[in-house]
Amino acid sequence: MEIFRNSALKEELLSVARGEKRAEFVIKDANVVNVCSGEIHEADIAIHKGIIVGVGRYRGIKEEDARGNFAVPGLIDGHTHIEMSMLSVSEFARVVVPRGTTAVVADPHEIANVLGVAGIEAMLEEAKMTPLKVFFTVPSCVPSTSLETAGASIDASEVENLLRCCEEFVGLAEVMDFDAVLRGDPEIFAKIEAAVKSGKAVDGHAPLLSGGELNAYILSGAGSDHESISAEEAREKLRLGMRVMVREGSAAKNLRAIAPILKECDTRNCMLVTDGDRTPKDLLAQGHMDFLLRRAIEEGIDPVKAVQLCTINPATWFNLREIGSITPGKIADIVIVRNLERFEVLKVFVNGREISREFRKKRKFKYPKHGRSVNAPHVSAEDFILEEEKACRLTGKRRKARVIRLIENEIVTEAKIEEIIGIEAPKILKAAVVERHHRTGNIGIGFVEGFGLNSGAIASTIAHDSHNIVVIGTNERDMALACNRLSEIGGGIVLCDSGFVVSEIPLPIAGLMSDESVERVLERCERLEAELRKRGCSLDAIYTLSFIALPVIPSLRITDKGLVDVERGEVVQVFL
């Protein structure tokens, strides 16, 4: 341990551990959830200089009576994207730490695809203002594919430099372009090799991959996956040596389907993650990792095993040696809860100190000015009409077209063939993506089914992973108005109807995050959702909209370059 480089401090800690000196702080008579032995046992927890020095019977200068309560290691989210919460890092920490999340492993590829390394560095600096331990994985896919236009790029040399120079970077972030991996692309393999050489984890992203393709993907070096949507898919990945990250978010909910595996298999290579998919509403009302832990127990998973899934297991995967368990030598990140199954948090200790009320007050961090703009051209209604569509409207004849079909509670989509003239709200709506980084003028146009909107249009600068402007509407006029309004407010989400702006959520930090409090963001979200419900859209529109432009998850997507068939890895025609 680094603290043992100081010989005087070493002797002091050893003396406290032996029981010869009083510890600065002792949590007395707690029911310790031991994630190493898989049991619960009563003990004192001795803390000195922010370090757990002993678990047994100890005396303290200051003591905390925890009799009848449970002591749990600080919870760890092993795979998240903080930007997806729409909150700044400071505000995100303000919400999740008091609920027991003391560390996250964040993939900052959302902001990286907009601002590059400068965006990552800004998030890193803001994280230092908070008690939340924020570890980063270096984005591997900036841009995620060549099928869209990103705001920046990060090459293999930059990946290697970040892994080598910054201790906060604990691995290579999810390797999303599995097609590039399978065809042996030298650039993606150079990034993987940089992580392997540094002895750090390589996170994978392998939705629906199986058999020989999955074997080849794992052979590349990818060691984890958070995209399993069935027990069978998760089992195959476990059998081949992958870490299975079970995602349970606001939109993508995979825990129920995978829970049978978690109840019957060795779960050392499994963990619970949010994948950043927790809305401000759900964070405040339900929680963060505490919610996932409760959900796991509801699904019949043993409570101690559930705690392991979000403490020691992610800590082991990312080689976070100083956190993850309540054992000697670990940093004293400890959560005291009244009831393990309901996970009612009484107190949270970070670095041995109780989180104070002052932390709950908002603290602002100033992001670079270049991160606060949307560089998109002005668009008109005509820009969203396909030539084939004009012919259909003139003749009244239907033509076969590829349509993106949304699946509720999933981020995968289906590709359908429908005979259409054009927009036929509320069943068939128009979807488009407007490039917003370099003023290229690129606009991809397609059709979507299952969104449910019966009037107006909604546009957003949250569009994974390149975060161009994505818009879905019942008419082209409102689509254009919503896109142009986003340029005016510097990014966010805008709902328009009948030529008027109805509701908006400004997200001036890279068009992804708000600089307001979580309470204010939630207020704006609820107002937008209420207006959407009035117009027939009952699904989680914000997150559904954000994923429709993600060209690395099957099956049909839309980017600024057009309609993308993910399985074929190419842009395809809308009308057949």
Side-chain angles (χ1 to χ4, degrees):
M1 292 177 64
E2 189 173 336
I3 55 173
F4 282 173
R5 293 176 184 172
N6 182 322
S7 59
L9 178 59
K10 177 178 72 174
E11 288 304 318
E12 182 179 344
L13 291 172
L14 292 173
S15 178
V16 175
R18 291 192 298 262
E20 298 165 358
K21 289 184 61 177
R22 286 180 180 264
E24 290 178 336
F25 177 50
V26 174
I27 300 173
K28 297 288 291 183
D29 300 318
N31 293 315
V32 177
V33 179
N34 195 311
V35 295
C36 299
S37 63
E39 62 181 328
I40 298 173
H41 57 91
E42 187 179 292
D44 302 335
I45 305 167
I47 300 166
H48 201 79
K49 304 301 181 185
I51 303 296
I52 298 170
V53 294
V55 179
R57 292 301 169 195
Y58 285 91
R59 298 169 301 150
I61 298 169
K62 178 183 176 184
E63 296 183 346
E64 172 86 21
D65 183 10
R67 185 179 298 276
N69 297 320
F70 295 81
V72 179
L75 304 183
I76 304 169
D77 188 347
H79 180 71
T80 192
H81 308 277
I82 293 174
E83 308 97 305
M84 286 176 63
S85 69
M86 296 189 288
L87 305 175
S88 65
V89 181
S90 300
E91 197 63 15
F92 176 80
R94 186 173 77 89
V95 177
V96 306
V97 173
R99 304 198 66 142
T101 299
T102 57
V104 300
V105 179
D107 173 3
H109 77 225
E110 314 296 352
I111 200 168
N113 269 285
V114 178
L115 302 176
V117 173
I120 301 173
E121 291 173 341
M123 287 189 71
L124 186 62
E125 287 304 309
E126 186 181 12
K128 293 176 181 177
M129 295 170 48
T130 80
L132 179 67
K133 291 178 175 63
V134 182
F135 302 97
F136 288 97
T137 48
V138 181
S140 66
C141 296
V142 180
S144 60
T145 75
S146 60
L147 298 169
E148 58 184 340
T149 305
S153 64
I154 297 178
D155 62 22
S157 63
E158 289 173 300
V159 167
E160 184 176 9
N161 183 59
L162 288 170
L163 287 169
R164 185 178 64 250
C165 299
C166 301
E167 62 181 12
E168 291 88 354
F169 288 98
V170 296
L172 184 68
E174 54 181 306
V175 183
M176 293 184 293
D177 195 351
F178 54 81
D179 184 62
V181 173
L182 295 178
R183 67 172 184 267
D185 179 78
E187 176 68 13
I188 196 68
F189 269 87
K191 294 175 181 178
I192 293 172
E193 184 65 20
V196 172
K197 282 184 176 179
S198 68
K200 296 182 178 180
V202 178
D203 271 346
H205 170 106
L208 303 180
L209 281 189
S210 182
E213 289 189 334
L214 180 59
N215 278 277
Y217 183 74
I218 296 170
L219 183 65
S220 75
S224 71
D225 175 78
H226 56 274
E227 293 292 341
S228 294
I229 61 174
S230 70
E232 293 74 22
E233 185 177 0
R235 189 192 300 275
E236 182 180 10
K237 288 168 180 172
L238 277 175
R239 284 175 172 173
L240 295 176
M242 287 193 112
R243 297 302 209 281
V244 169
M245 298 175 167
V246 184
R247 173 176 53 201
E248 185 74 2
S250 295
K253 303 175 188 291
N254 307 131
L255 178 56
R256 176 161 293 173
I258 299 174
I261 298 296
L262 300 179
K263 287 186 281 189
E264 67 185 43
C265 75
D266 184 335
T267 56
R268 285 177 295 176
N269 288 339
C270 301
M271 60 197 87
L272 300 175
V273 302
T274 67
D275 197 14
D277 180 18
R278 297 292 290 159
T279 65
K281 178 180 179 180
D282 287 347
L283 285 172
L284 282 176
Q286 299 174 338
H288 186 240
M289 293 305 296
D290 57 314
F291 170 72
L292 270 65
L293 193 150
R294 287 192 295 272
R295 279 285 300 114
I297 295 172
E298 286 172 5
E299 292 295 336
I301 295 164
D302 176 77
V304 176
K305 184 180 285 188
V307 173
Q308 290 171 326
L309 291 170
C310 42
T311 55
I312 194 169
N313 292 7
T316 300
W317 170 233
F318 289 105
N319 201 27
L320 305 176
R321 297 179 180 177
E322 296 186 334
I323 60 174
S325 65
I326 299 177
T327 50
K330 303 294 185 183
I331 293 172
D333 292 351
I334 300 169
V335 186
I336 305 298
V337 298
R338 179 179 289 113
N339 180 287
L340 194 56
E341 286 77 9
R342 293 192 294 273
F343 208 80
E344 301 169 25
V345 176
L346 299 175
K347 293 188 177 184
V348 177
F349 297 92
V350 175
N351 300 331
R353 295 186 177 183
E354 184 180 351
I355 295 301
S356 64
R357 293 183 182 274
E358 286 72 24
F359 165 60
R360 303 189 183 199
K361 294 180 180 179
K362 184 169 177 58
R363 301 174 65 193
K364 282 195 173 182
F365 172 83
K366 289 187 178 181
Y367 275 77
K369 288 184 178 179
H370 69 272
R372 309 176 73 87
S373 64
V374 175
N375 189 27
H378 188 276
V379 292
S380 66
E382 284 292 315
D383 293 324
F384 296 104
I385 303 175
L386 294 162
E387 289 300 320
E388 298 94 331
E389 195 180 358
K390 292 177 183 177
C392 289
R393 292 181 183 183
L394 284 173
T395 62
K397 289 184 178 181
R398 294 177 176 274
R399 286 188 58 180
K400 288 184 178 181
R402 293 180 174 92
V403 176
I404 302 168
R405 182 179 176 276
L406 303 176
I407 302 173
E408 191 172 1
N409 291 333
E410 295 291 350
I411 59 176
V412 295
T413 66
E414 290 182 354
K416 290 192 69 178
I417 304 297
E418 298 272 5
E419 286 195 347
I420 63 174
I421 292 176
I423 296 173
E424 299 175 24
K427 182 183 179 183
I428 304 294
L429 304 183
K430 181 161 287 183
V433 174
V434 179
E435 193 278 321
R436 66 122 162 161
H437 305 296
H438 310 292
R439 298 184 72 86
T440 62
N442 289 353
I443 301 179
I445 301 170
F447 295 95
V448 62
E449 178 183 323
F451 196 73
L453 194 66
N454 56 38
S455 67
I458 180 171
S460 174
T461 49
I462 305 174
H464 305 290
D465 280 311
S466 290
H467 299 292
N468 291 300
I469 296 174
V470 60
V471 58
I472 291 179
T474 64
N475 67 88
E476 292 85 3
R477 180 189 175 200
D478 284 332
M479 291 172 70
L481 177 62
C483 292
N484 291 331
R485 178 59 180 164
L486 284 174
S487 294
E488 293 172 2
I489 65 174
I493 305 162
V494 174
L495 174 65
C496 295
D497 197 354
S498 304
F500 295 96
V501 175
V502 175
S503 184
E504 63 187 28
I505 306 172
L507 301 174
I509 303 173
L512 302 174
M513 296 180 284
S514 173
D515 56 3
E516 297 180 311
S517 70
V518 64
E519 291 82 7
R520 179 60 173 147
V521 174
L522 175 58
E523 180 185 328
R524 291 183 182 276
C525 288
E526 289 181 333
R527 187 181 305 160
L528 178 70
E529 289 167 1
E531 293 293 343
L532 284 165
R533 284 194 296 272
K534 288 179 187 177
R535 291 161 178 79
C537 183
S538 59
L539 46 69
D540 190 337
I542 295 173
Y543 280 77
T544 301
L545 189 66
S546 72
F547 281 111
I548 201 172
L550 182 58
V552 294
I553 292 183
S555 113
L556 201 58
R557 303 283 161 169
I558 183 84
T559 76
D560 67 299
K561 295 187 178 182
L563 195 65
V564 175
D565 184 322
V566 178
E567 280 89 354
R568 290 163 58 180
E570 62 185 27
V571 174
V572 295
Q573 293 295 317
V574 176
F575 286 93
L576 304 185

